[in-house]
């Protein structure tokens, strides 16, 4: 299903980020979330040969603190957690992607470029 994340802009909302997520799945002992940030359940479903179907149901995710200070706290917390994950999985593309995207979201573009898995396809690394 989709998760709709409204973006705040000034006094109102400035758009919507839409992300596809698996939110409903079978209660099975081998289906588990993976990763410390932006947890994923799809890899374990695929390992079991499970199928995924789309629905028109969506979730509104709007509870995060969108102030500058709130976003800064979240990014700093995410970076601490991602450093732990990086130590365990130093070459995993999803970990590198999340590190790069977090730095990019913080406006630290030179640092984000150090994580090439975060670059869009066709975008040259420097």
């Amino acid at each position: 299903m989709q998760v709709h994340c409204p973006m705040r802009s000034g006094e109102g909302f400035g758009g919507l980020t839409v992300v596809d997520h698996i939110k409903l799945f079978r209660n099975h002992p081998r289906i588990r979330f993976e990763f410390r940030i932006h947890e994923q359940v799809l890899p374990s479903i695929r390992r079991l040969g499970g199928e995924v179907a789309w629905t028109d149901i969506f979730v509104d995710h709007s509870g995060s603190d969108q102030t500058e200070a709130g976003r800064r706290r979240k990014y700093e917390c995410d970076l601490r957690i991602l450093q732990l994950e990086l130590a365990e999985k130093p070459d995993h593309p999803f970990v590198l992607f999340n590190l790069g995207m977090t730095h990019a979201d913080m406006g630290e573009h030179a640092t984000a470029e150090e994580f090439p898995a975060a670059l869009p396809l066709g975008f040259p690394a420097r």
Side-chain angles (χ1 to χ4, degrees):
M1 70 180 59
Q2 292 183 337
V3 176
H4 294 182
C5 306
M7 298 180 296
R8 296 191 190 277
S9 172
E11 295 298 315
F13 289 98
L16 187 69
T17 299
V18 177
V19 183
D20 297 329
H21 279 284
I22 296 174
K23 293 291 188 184
L24 300 171
F25 50 91
R26 213 177 270 274
N27 182 8
H28 187 284
R30 291 178 39 206
I31 297 178
R32 294 284 182 244
F33 283 97
E34 301 175 19
F35 302 103
R36 296 173 189 242
I37 297 284
H38 305 300
E39 300 87 340
Q40 302 292 308
V41 73
L42 184 59
S44 65
I45 292 171
R46 285 190 172 155
R47 280 193 295 274
L48 289 172
E51 295 182 28
V52 176
W54 291 97
T55 178
D56 59 356
I57 298 170
F58 64 90
V59 174
D60 280 325
H61 175 63
S62 60
S64 62
D65 182 350
Q66 292 295 311
T67 65
E68 186 174 333
R71 286 193 313 269
R72 173 65 59 183
R73 281 191 303 275
K74 181 184 183 326
Y75 296 145
E76 289 171 357
C77 179
D78 285 356
L79 286 175
R80 283 191 303 274
I81 295 168
L82 284 166
Q83 289 300 323
L84 295 171
E85 187 116 71
L86 184 64
E88 293 173 2
K89 301 172 184 157
D91 297 318
H92 198 287
F94 190 66
V95 176
L96 298 172
F97 170 80
N98 283 321
L99 276 162
M101 290 304 298
T102 300
H103 283 290
D105 289 344
M106 295 173 74
E108 299 173 353
H109 298 105
T111 303
E113 288 180 354
E114 296 173 18
F115 303 96
L119 296 174
L121 294 176
F123 186 83
R126 290 185 185 179

